[in-house]
């Protein structure tokens, strides 16, 4: 069954690029929802049937790490898998993200082939 | 050129990777790096601030026509004026380059945090570095013009 995806990034350009890359990667996905920061992402997760989240880290209002921390405390949504898509993929910040439940990370810039390689097993 | 000159070839590689892989535009680094750019005309600049053990700035300066071509290619839709889409695309390119620079500096033992990206644009402006920052400006050529990647970093 195709999975519904939530894209979380303060850049509308990057949300479009990720959405396009998912299509170009040939991945089987359902609806794509979008959010501009962590708080908006939490609101979408509480209302919509999202199967996987692809989230930036460096965002205003509520960043990706704060989003993971808040999400991990909410029973209805805490088990939805989150991938980090960010320019920041150092061991320290990705380690913190994984300790808060992130299941993987994709570094910007990326190609559709890389998207397929990293996200394919989860889609 | 300051003591971060060793990362410049990797900044060039990262810039080419971003353009070929995500903007879908072929670019080349051409010409000797500059120490300052001077007056910038009819352009848009994307930038991210660097803070932590060493303060600084990563900026990308695009002539307006090239910024429109980049955004059109980036988004896969026609863009004919400098608008929020162009600002967002230029800011995101600066953000991706800033992330690469942060990684390169972290590998050198620096502890760097990035600001959120921002943009400025205008008919004529000057981008001045603080006197305590080392500055290098790298020229690139693209099909629609020349653009510059500028790195300023505390010694």
């Amino acid at each position: 069954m195709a999975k519904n995806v939530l894209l979380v990034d303060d850049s509308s350009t990057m949300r479009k690029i990720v959405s396009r890359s998912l299509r170009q990667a040939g991945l089987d996905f359902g609806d794509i929802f979008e959010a501009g920061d962590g708080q908006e992402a939490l609101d979408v997760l509480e209302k919509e049937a999202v199967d996987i989240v692809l989230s930036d880290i460096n965002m205003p209002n509520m960043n990706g790490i704060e989003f993971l921390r808040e999400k991990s405390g909410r029973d209805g949504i805490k088990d939805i898998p989150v991938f980090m898509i960010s320019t920041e993929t150092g061991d320290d910040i990705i380690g913190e993200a994984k300790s808060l439940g992130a299941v993987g990370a994709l570094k910007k810039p990326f190609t559709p082939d890389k998207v397929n390689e990293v996200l394919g097993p989860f889609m | 050129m300051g003591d971060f000159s060793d990362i410049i070839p990797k900044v060039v590689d990262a810039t080419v990777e971003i353009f070929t892989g995500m903007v879908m535009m072929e670019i080349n680094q051409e010409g000797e790096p500059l120490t300052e750019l001077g007056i910038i005309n009819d352009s848009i600049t994307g930038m991210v601030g660097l803070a932590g053990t060493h303060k600084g700035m990563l900026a990308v300066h695009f002539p307006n026509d090239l910024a429109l071509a980049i955004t059109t290619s980036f988004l896969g839709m026609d863009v004919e004026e400098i608008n929020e889409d162009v600002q967002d695309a230029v800011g995101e390119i600066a953000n991706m380059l800033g992330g690469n620079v942060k990684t390169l500096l972290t590998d050198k033992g620096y502890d760097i945090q990035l600001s959120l990206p921002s943009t400025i644009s205008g008919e004529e402006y000057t981008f001045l570095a603080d006197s305590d920052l080392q500055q290098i400006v790298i020229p690139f050529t693209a099909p629609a013009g020349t653009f510059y990647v500028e790195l300023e970093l505390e010694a």
Side-chain angles (χ1 to χ4, degrees), chain A residues 9-14 16-17 20-21 24 56 58-61 87-90 92-93 107-112, chain B residues 14 17-18 21-22 24 73-77 85 88-89 92 95-100 102-103 111 114-117:
Chain A
D9 200 307
D10 55 315
S11 165
S12 62
T13 297
M14 191 48 60
K16 289 172 185 166
I17 297 293
R20 184 179 71 190
S21 295
Q24 291 175 332
D56 189 15
N58 196 15
M59 298 182 288
N61 303 323
T87 61
E88 297 194 38
T89 52
D92 52 347
I93 197 157
K107 183 179 184 299
K108 301 177 190 172
F110 51 78
T111 62
Chain B
E17 182 186 6
I18 288 167
M22 295 194 74
M24 307 302 178
S73 182
F74 214 176
L75 297 180
M77 57 185 241
D85 285 333
D88 193 67
E92 189 56 34
N95 188 42
M96 284 190 283
L97 264 176
N100 274 274
K102 175 181 175 177
T103 300
D111 183 11
L114 292 181
S115 75
L116 294 169

Side-chain angles (χ1 to χ4, degrees), chain B residues 43-55:
Chain B
S43 294
I44 179 167
T45 293
M47 54 195 159
V48 291
L50 311 177
T53 55
H54 296 69
K55 70 177 181 180

